[in-house]
Amino acid sequence: MTEPLSVGELDRVDYDIERGKIREFVRATFTTDPAHTDRDAAQAAGFADAPRPHPRRRRFATSATSKLVDTLGLALERVVVGSVKWTYLRTLIAGDHVVGTRRIVDDVQREGKRGGSMRIVTLETEYVDTDGDPVVRLEEVLIERGEQR
Amino acid sequence: MRAPVKAHIGTVADTRVIGPITQTDIVRFAGAGGDFNPLHHDPEFVANIRGPWMVIAMGQMQADPGRLASDTFGVEHVRSFGSRSACRPVRDTLTVGGTITAITDTDGETRADLDLVVSGSKRDRLSPVRQRSSSPGA
């Protein structure tokens, strides 16, 4: 069995919020608010530039999956994402640059309802802007089912 | 910032029907979000894994039609979002609807809890997706 991990950083991503990417994303997600794609509509809504739709998917560092395995010792084929919760502290706009740092905040074993033990790992990512102010927080709960016998 | 929309407990009038979701929609979403798991676009890969699977849309793809919340209430007014997803097969049509379940005063703002449900049209073993998000009422 893997030793429970102490609280620590897991990975870090940083990226620019880009107008073209916002447009692409808005189309892919059937978003209709014209403020995201039309500069006049964005300004009329009070934004200095196109607002980014709030993130609902985390952007992984390229090494994130192997780090999850190496650092947490998770068996990915037995892992499901139990839940995700995003908290938006401000609306990001094109031109913003964010840095997101993911930490392990909890790592516990729990007995499953149908027998066998589950491991529940909680990860928190805090994204900050170039001023260092937090803009978005993400909590992810990963569940690793016990090995089948 | 746009003025907050007035919110009342009960069903949100705005609903949305999306689809049938095509393979192109899935590929566009993969490119926009960077999810290149072959389960979502490669029938040959899917055929080679166990079970009677077909190409399925990303779980989060149904969360995104939940943009209903930001489209209805304004992106700047959405404070949090959580979801649990089930996978939907390609060619499915999704219906998105919302109900405001609570209005509370939190951190000096009035916030509404919006329970969004995305349902698929295909009859299969997959269950509907439930989502929660909060946005200010007024």
Side-chain angles (χ1 to χ4, degrees), chain B residues 32-80:
Chain B
D35 181 351
F36 293 106
N37 184 335
L39 194 61
H40 302 308
H41 61 257
D42 185 346
E44 207 172 313
F45 173 87
V46 173
N48 284 326
I49 58 175
R50 70 192 165 92
W53 286 88
M54 57 174 101
V55 171
I56 53 173
M58 302 74 169
Q60 290 295 314
M61 194 162 172
Q62 299 113 45
D64 281 297
R67 300 284 169 198
L68 180 72
S70 70
D71 284 339
T72 305
F73 297 101
V75 62
E76 66 273 42
H77 296 304
V78 177
R79 294 289 178 266
S80 69

Side-chain angles (χ1 to χ4, degrees), chain A residues 21 24-25 27-36 41 44-47 51-59 82-89 91, chain B residues 1-2 16 18 21 25 28-29 31-35 58 60-61 63-67 69-71 74-84 131:
Chain A
K21 196 71 194 173
E24 190 186 337
F25 193 71
R27 184 169 179 209
T29 57
F30 308 95
T31 303
T32 58
D33 184 351
H36 298 296
F47 297 105
R52 184 204 191 287
H54 287 312
R56 288 182 183 171
R57 306 161 53 77
R58 84 179 327 281
R59 213 182 275 203
S83 64
V84 293
K85 186 185 177 191
W86 293 88
T87 304
Y88 310 113
L89 305 169
T91 305
Chain B
M1 195 164 76
R2 291 167 285 195
R16 198 169 289 188
I18 294 162
I21 299 290
D25 293 327
R28 182 177 286 128
F29 188 80
D35 181 351
M58 302 74 169
Q60 290 295 314
M61 194 162 172
D64 281 297
R67 300 284 169 198
S70 70
D71 284 339
V75 62
E76 66 273 42
H77 296 304
V78 177
R79 294 289 178 266
S80 69
F81 176 82
S83 70
R84 291 170 53 192
Q131 312 180 352

Side-chain angles (χ1 to χ4, degrees), chain A residues 2 17 48 61 67 70 98 100 104 114 126-127 129 131 139 145:
Chain A
T2 315
I17 310 299
K67 270 194 176 166
D70 295 346
V98 298
I104 301 151
R114 283 169 286 181
E126 183 169 84
Y127 296 83
D129 61 16
D131 293 330
E139 184 191 270
R145 288 174 287 117

Side-chain angles (χ1 to χ4, degrees), chain A residues 64-76:
Chain A
T65 305
S66 61
K67 270 194 176 166
L68 275 170
V69 175
D70 295 346
T71 314
L72 291 168
L74 286 175
L76 282 187

